Amino acid sequence: MPEARIAKRLPTCTGAGGWNAILPPREAAAALNTNSTADVVVIGAGFAGLSAAFRISQIDPGAKVAILEAGHIAEGSAGRNSGFMIDLPHNLSSDDYAGAQMRRDISQTRVNRKAIAFAGEMAATFGFGTDIYHPDGKINGAATEKGHRHNLEYAAHLKGMDEPCELFDAQSMRDITGTGYYSSGLFTGGTVMLQPAAYIRGLADKIGRQARIYEHSPVCALQRNSQSWLVKTAAGRIEAPKVILAVNGHAESFGYFKRRLMHVFTYASMTRAMTEEQCRRLGGRERWSLTPADPMGVTVRRISGHGGNRILIRSRFTYDPGMEVGASRVAAVGARHDAQFAERFPMLTDLAMEYRWAGLLCLSRNDVPAFGEVENGIYAACCQNGLGVTKGTLSGMAAAELVCGHRSATLEALGALDEPARLPPEPLTWLAANAIMRWKEWRAGRE
Ligand SMILES: Cc1cc2nc3c(=O)[nH]c(=O)nc-3n(C[C@H](O)[C@H](O)[C@H](O)COP(=O)(O)OP(=O)(O)OC[C@H]3O[C@@H](n4cnc5c(N)ncnc54)[C@H](O)[C@@H]3O)c2cc1C
């Protein structure tokens, strides 16, 4: 038998993701413990995997699809992110999110919107309410003169793309957020805000009526078997001619895109539910979503609905090629979150954090996905470059089209991109990436 591709690493989660924890308990689907067959096996039940399964069901309703998820649905990055499904350029390595080329940004925005429309179609099909999927738009909040300049530069870039945006002054920012911390803001209306764990749970539960979903079923090996693949877990296996790898950075764990993917953690803390009196003290709207004017700054969301009125804060990026971080790192970044929270919300000194967690992003040096047929019958829908809510959806959709032989403009756009560029050897990349991120975070200052 030909050599198998053994998964060298399996996903781990550090800290309880607040979004999932504030939802009612959910019973996990059974783990795979038999041998069976399918037309397509999807590995990973995040944005990419679930979107791929739904798109296959649209193109080929009779196809037998099985989804294998290593952990609990919505416990991975897909259920522990900040929930911004962003349409516009969002280049984390830039000063103001703009990409280097206007033409590329315009075409990326076009395909991002196809993914958002597709997510909207799923949300409508499955009857998600606005507490799960809300086309609210977002604001790039600026706390300093430099942040304001970034917003003006980004607004000029958007104007060049013929994209509308609106500048808010300090008073408007206070009216929206309740805090006087922000001196200005740049509103763009195309971002959809998600309760990410509820969205992923909802997709999995509904798609699970057509496809078979197995949770707590980490794939440990892929073995070529004549015209098909044996997708193996510790207790069972599924044989299929086609496999979609929707595991983001873990594509490298299976030996694909070696030394081409950057595994970066980011960190979040979520407060306890506010009392009515704390809500009154804060003021502002019930729901708002801020990305920082400087990409290395602090994301803040105020949420309401199931789980109560809370504030989420996300900051810090660390490059960790081992794809694991410990609880002590989450605690250390958590202390930083507390300080960032206190600066922004001095009226809420009695509001403590309830949940803290870390989660993974996968970036490439040249800001392209790890996408396409990587070996006969194995299709990658990975490396979402920090915008995985949108781009994971997009790459899942497109991978499904590729697998089904369905041509589309989205697929063509993804197929035309370069492959992820090679990284310099370690420890050079580790040293350089972390030094650059620390410097950029220092430069972002109060943003
Ligand atoms: C704190 C935080 C905030 C973020 N905020 C945002 C945001 O606001 N907007 C945005 O666009 N992005 C955000 N991101 C990034 C976003 O969450 C990811 O880019 C996105 O989840 C990637 O989607 P995906 O489906 O490709 O991969 P994932 O969501 O990582 O899903 C891959 C799945 O594959 C599973 N898997 C891996 N290996 C195996 C295996 N061997 N067998 C079986 N299953 C396996 C994993 O368990 C996982 O569930 C944030 C991330 C974090 C951590």
Side-chain angles (χ1 to χ4, degrees):
M1 214 175 236
E3 230 176 78
R5 283 189 176 267
I6 307 293
K8 292 204 176 65
R9 284 171 301 208
L10 293 172
T12 56
C13 290
T14 313
W19 293 108
N20 207 22
I22 62 175
L23 292 174
R26 167 186 170 276
E27 203 178 318
L32 179 73
N33 59 8
T34 53
N35 297 343
S36 63
T37 60
D39 297 316
V40 184
V41 173
V42 177
I43 308 177
F47 292 96
L50 294 169
S51 303
F54 185 75
R55 187 76 184 111
I56 294 173
S57 76
Q58 286 183 321
I59 301 170
D60 184 0
K64 230 171 114 185
V65 178
I67 305 172
L68 291 168
E69 166 53 46
H72 207 79
I73 293 285
E75 257 307 316
S77 288
R80 55 175 57 212
N81 57 71
S82 309
F84 290 74
M85 187 176 258
I86 298 172
D87 55 339
L88 293 167
H90 194 77
N91 188 339
L92 293 179
S93 62
S94 70
D95 284 346
D96 61 2
Y97 301 107
Q101 295 164 2
M102 184 77 77
R103 267 202 6 229
R104 190 174 158 195
D105 278 356
I106 292 172
S107 76
Q108 277 202 2
T109 301
R110 200 173 299 135
V111 286
N112 287 349
R113 286 189 178 143
K114 289 214 159 119
I116 295 176
F118 177 73
E121 198 183 331
M122 291 195 282
T125 306
F126 299 144
F128 293 171
T130 51
D131 50 333
I132 298 180
Y133 181 96
H134 198 76
D136 246 355
K138 73 169 178 86
I139 302 169
N140 279 359
T144 62
E145 191 48 43
K146 199 159 107 206
H148 181 57
R149 275 203 310 276
H150 286 322
N151 271 348
L152 294 180
E153 282 154 19
Y154 189 52
H157 187 75
L158 292 179
K159 191 160 180 240
M161 292 173 63
D162 213 12
E163 291 291 342
C165 59
E166 191 182 346
L167 271 167
F168 292 157
D169 63 11
Q171 186 57 49
S172 308
M173 290 300 285
R174 185 190 278 273
D175 292 344
I176 294 167
T177 62
T179 164
Y181 188 80
Y182 295 99
S183 51
S184 71
L186 182 72
F187 173 79
T188 49
T191 293
V192 172
M193 296 309 307
L194 302 182
Q195 200 302 16
Y199 176 82
I200 290 294
R201 277 187 185 198
L203 290 189
D205 291 344
K206 302 289 182 171
I207 291 168
R209 294 181 187 167
Q210 295 152 329
R212 278 171 297 152
I213 298 194
Y214 300 94
E215 286 176 64
H216 299 286
S217 302
V219 172
C220 50
L222 297 170
Q223 172 101 51
R224 184 88 208 162
N225 182 25
S226 175
Q227 293 307 304
S228 57
W229 286 92
L230 298 178
V231 183
K232 297 180 175 177
T233 67
R237 65 169 202 231
I238 306 178
E239 181 168 0
K242 291 176 178 174
V243 177
I244 297 179
L245 262 187
V247 295
N248 211 13
H250 279 285
E252 194 171 7
S253 306
F254 286 96
Y256 298 110
F257 303 100
K258 272 191 195 161
R259 298 289 317 139
R260 289 174 190 272
L261 305 180
M262 299 179 71
H263 308 296
V264 171
F265 278 87
T266 188
Y267 305 81
S269 298
M270 185 186 276
T271 65
R272 294 183 183 287
M274 285 188 269
T275 61
E276 276 180 27
E277 191 277 321
Q278 283 170 326
C279 288
R280 270 198 305 278
R281 227 189 292 151
L282 170 62
R285 294 186 189 160
E286 265 204 338
R287 204 154 56 180
W288 44 263
S289 313
L290 301 190
T291 39
D294 183 310
M296 287 292 129
V298 182
T299 298
V300 190
R301 264 185 87 174
R302 160 124 193 239
I303 59 170
S304 62
H306 195 97
N309 289 283
R310 295 171 188 258
I311 295 175
L312 172 96
I313 193 155
R314 186 224 48 85
S315 67
R316 177 138 281 197
F317 294 105
T318 59
Y319 172 65
D320 293 283
M323 301 183 85
E324 273 188 36
V325 292
S328 59
R329 174 82 68 73
V330 175
V333 180
R336 189 182 167 86
H337 286 164
D338 290 347
Q340 289 166 334
F341 182 85
E343 276 183 334
R344 282 160 179 78
F345 304 104
M347 71 297 274
L348 293 174
T349 45
D350 55 345
L351 180 61
M353 296 295 168
E354 186 167 6
Y355 302 104
R356 299 190 194 277
W357 65 93
L360 261 174
L361 314 176
C362 176
L363 314 178
S364 62
R365 264 175 93 190
N366 47 342
D367 197 27
V368 293
F371 180 81
E373 189 168 10
V374 286
E375 197 171 343
N376 191 5
I378 306 271
Y379 301 82
C382 302
C383 188
Q384 321 301 3
N385 288 293
L387 198 61
V389 175
T390 308
K391 289 193 185 293
T393 305
L394 182 72
S395 66
M397 258 170 88
E401 291 172 351
L402 189 59
V403 159
C404 296
H406 181 95
R407 296 184 60 176
S408 76
T410 315
L411 180 54
E412 249 169 62
L414 280 190
L417 296 172
D418 291 337
E419 74 166 329
R422 189 171 279 285
L423 301 173
E426 297 298 353
L428 212 64
T429 305
W430 184 87
L431 283 168
N434 282 309
I436 290 170
M437 287 190 287
R438 289 300 72 74
W439 175 68
K440 284 194 166 194
E441 279 172 0
W442 173 81
R443 218 181 46 164
R446 281 166 36 83
E447 296 302 335

